[in-house]
Amino acid sequence: MAEQPIRLLIVDDIQSTRDNLRKLLSFEEDIEVVGTAGDGKQGVEEAQRLHPDIVLTDVNMPVMDGIQLTEQLTQDLPASPVIIMSVQGERDYLRRAMQAGAREFLIKPFSHDELVAAIRRVYAMELKKGTFLTRTAEPPPLLTSGRSGPGEVFVVFSAKGGVGKSIIAANLAVALARETDAKVALVDLDLQFGDIGVMLNLNHSRSITDVVDAQDHLDAEVLDDILAVGPAGIRVLLAPVKPELADLVTPDHVRTVFAEVRKLCDFVVVDASSHLGESILQVMEMASKILVVTGLTIPSVKNARLTLGVLESLNIDPERVLLVVNRVDGYSDFNKEATEQYLRVPVTVQIPHDPKAVSDAWNQGKPFVETQPEAEISRAIRELVFRLVPQEQPALAGGDKKRRRGIFGR
Ligand SMILES: Nc1ncnc2c1ncn2[C@@H]1O[C@H](COP(=O)(O)OP(=O)(O)O)[C@@H](O)[C@H]1O
Ligand SMILES: [Mg+2]
């Protein structure tokens, strides 16, 4: 049996199948599901990012099917062998799957034991063949940041819930990582109702409450374990799993977290709650930019005005405050000009209202900058990256400028 668990990627277009397989395998100590994907194309992307030991894939899927996925992985990532799952009667698939390079073929419905045995068999076989030795070395885990000095902090805030802070913070962090060579962390400081874990489909049991437990011996290594690995290799500090645990996290803990995370990352994006408490205020003080998010509705703009007033009373340099208008469409109470006039602050970026891109991304558990890089909403996020890190010149017009492998992700 393997000392390290067998790292498995599951590819299936049906969410419930993915969930069931993940659940089924969660009882096996020697198997760890490191990722899931909803079609062959995503499967290839995830395999390239995660370098799993085994890819378990369905055959019939939209965009790219399991056979094409197998062909591509056999060619590009021979150290990630494929097991194909298909329903009985698809005999032709069996032949094609084997020709494509699949190592095993599971006929649905299969039992838990058959599944686990197939995974272990393929792994043992590949181990014998030395397949995994051909894998290029994994990038090192967290090291100190490439840039000098502590990482820059960008806080996403609004005094009103539901304006899009979490969506913007998550997409911004991923876009920063994709468009620059920087190490990026995303910290979910909505301690009671943090959404980042669900939004990015992060199956990770550790959160900021583990920082509380490790308070006295928190260092890079301990933190590396606590941080989840998100899209584009960003590292994510999740909010507590239950709202009642939020109170365990004191402003002192938050200060310790930021001191450590800033040593390790070039940029730290913070998703805040709508509450202006001591924790978030001290993070705002250390932030190089505070993104105040508002919708174009009357209550939202009113609250943005109150927020700007608080920041002013804290003597925060107005240069550090960026106004981001979200969900822009033709039906708003205000337009950009009226908002600027009322708030007496220029609008830095306008993010369009795009329910389709947003809900597709939610459903896939991925940020829209990855699922729909060409959409206007993704361009707006890249524009925000450019405002925050001007020298990086992200490709505003096109999709992805350069697709980096996770900088310090796996
Ligand atoms: N630009 C947008 N277009 C469409 N829907 C959006 C947009 N921004 C946010 N939403 C939706 O609005 C809801 C609230 O967003 P969220 O990021 O959770 O807000 P907050 O973190 O400020 O409470 C979510 O369901 C999100 O999907
Ligand atoms: Mg939120």
Side-chain angles (χ1 to χ4, degrees):
M1 201 161 289
E3 284 171 26
Q4 300 266 326
I6 304 171
R7 301 173 66 253
L8 186 79
L9 171 69
I10 298 173
V11 188
D12 198 303
D13 56 330
I14 300 170
Q15 169 100 41
S16 58
T17 308
R18 296 197 297 268
D19 293 345
N20 287 338
L21 287 168
R22 189 192 272 279
K23 247 180 251 153
L24 214 60
L25 293 169
S26 67
F27 301 108
E28 303 305 323
E29 266 177 25
D30 60 333
I31 299 172
E32 182 193 359
V33 177
V34 292
T36 58
D39 63 57
K41 187 160 169 287
Q42 279 173 22
V44 171
E45 284 171 9
E46 287 300 283
Q48 280 168 342
R49 186 169 74 82
L50 297 164
H51 291 267
D53 294 324
I54 292 178
V55 177
L56 178 66
T57 182
D58 185 26
V59 172
N60 286 316
M61 293 181 294
V63 189
M64 181 194 271
D65 69 17
I67 306 281
Q68 290 168 292
L69 165 86
T70 307
E71 269 166 6
Q72 191 157 343
L73 291 187
T74 305
Q75 195 178 344
D76 298 349
L77 281 181
S80 292
V82 179
I83 299 177
I84 284 202
M85 311 173 277
S86 179
V87 285
Q88 228 154 10
E90 294 174 330
R91 293 265 163 232
D92 185 41
Y93 280 135
L94 175 62
R95 190 180 46 77
R96 288 175 49 213
M98 292 303 167
Q99 274 170 352
R103 305 296 207 283
E104 279 266 359
F105 198 88
L106 284 163
I107 308 275
K108 292 182 193 173
F110 45 79
S111 71
H112 169 248
D113 288 350
E114 282 174 290
L115 170 65
V116 172
I119 293 171
R120 290 188 186 137
R121 202 161 47 235
V122 169
Y123 186 78
M125 187 76 85
E126 301 300 317
L127 211 54
K128 230 192 232 164
K129 287 201 294 189
T131 300
F132 302 125
L133 300 177
T134 64
R135 180 174 302 158
T136 49
E138 279 184 6
L142 280 176
L143 293 172
T144 46
S145 117
R147 287 155 210 240
S148 59
E152 277 190 64
V153 176
F154 304 133
V155 177
V156 182
F157 183 78
S158 77
K160 186 158 169 48
V163 296
K165 288 184 289 299
S166 301
I167 283 253
I168 292 171
N171 281 277
L172 175 62
V174 174
L176 268 167
R178 286 168 68 107
E179 303 295 331
T180 74
D181 281 323
K183 296 176 181 177
V184 181
L186 173 61
V187 177
D188 192 346
L189 270 195
D190 187 350
L191 297 176
Q192 279 198 300
F193 300 106
D195 296 323
I196 296 293
V198 177
M199 198 177 274
L200 298 180
N201 194 20
L202 299 174
N203 183 24
H204 187 75
S205 58
R206 315 204 63 187
S207 77
I208 196 165
T209 42
D210 291 283
V211 172
V212 177
D213 297 337
Q215 173 83 326
D216 299 331
H217 54 277
L218 187 71
D219 57 18
E221 214 175 307
V222 174
L223 197 59
D224 186 38
D225 255 5
I226 296 176
L227 298 175
V229 180
I234 66 164
R235 299 306 298 264
V236 186
L237 184 58
L238 295 171
V241 283
K242 292 189 206 147
E244 61 268 30
L245 296 177
D247 287 347
L248 296 178
V249 184
T250 65
D252 272 349
H253 293 130
V254 172
R255 193 172 312 122
T256 313
V257 165
F258 277 82
E260 288 301 322
V261 174
R262 292 178 75 194
K263 281 187 208 158
L264 304 170
C265 298
D266 304 304
F267 302 122
V268 184
V269 178
V270 182
D271 179 22
S273 73
S274 303
H275 174 68
L276 259 180
E278 197 185 330
S279 286
I280 192 67
L281 287 175
Q282 63 174 356
V283 176
M284 282 179 173
E285 268 166 29
M286 65 176 90
S288 54
K289 291 280 190 274
I290 300 167
L291 283 59
V292 174
V293 183
T294 181
L296 291 176
T297 62
I298 290 169
S300 185
V301 173
K302 181 214 93 188
N303 284 319
R305 184 158 170 169
L306 293 177
T307 306
L308 293 170
V310 173
L311 298 182
E312 201 181 315
S313 69
L314 290 171
N315 285 327
I316 286 179
D317 180 354
E319 293 275 302
R320 286 166 54 207
V321 180
L322 302 184
L323 185 62
V324 176
V325 173
N326 188 26
R327 308 185 86 152
V328 174
D329 62 17
Y331 305 95
S332 313
D333 303 338
F334 285 81
N335 60 20
K336 175 171 173 263
E337 288 68 33
T339 310
E340 289 179 328
Q341 219 170 21
Y342 178 72
L343 297 177
R344 295 191 297 272
V345 172
V347 170
T348 300
V349 170
Q350 299 192 78
I351 300 175
H353 178 59
D354 187 343
K356 171 132 186 13
V358 168
S359 76
D360 281 356
W362 264 110
N363 290 334
Q364 292 185 43
K366 291 189 170 188
F368 53 73
V369 291
E370 287 207 328
T371 57
Q372 302 210 19
E374 306 299 335
E376 280 300 317
I377 191 168
S378 300
R379 290 167 54 121
I381 297 288
R382 288 198 294 278
E383 194 179 332
L384 199 50
V385 170
F386 178 52
R387 303 283 170 201
L388 295 172
V389 195
Q391 69 276 23
E392 302 289 355
Q393 299 277 358
L396 294 181
D400 218 5
K401 188 175 67 173
K402 47 187 165 165
R403 176 126 187 98
R404 275 175 329 94
R405 293 280 148 75
I407 14 159
F408 47 117
R410 273 162 277 190

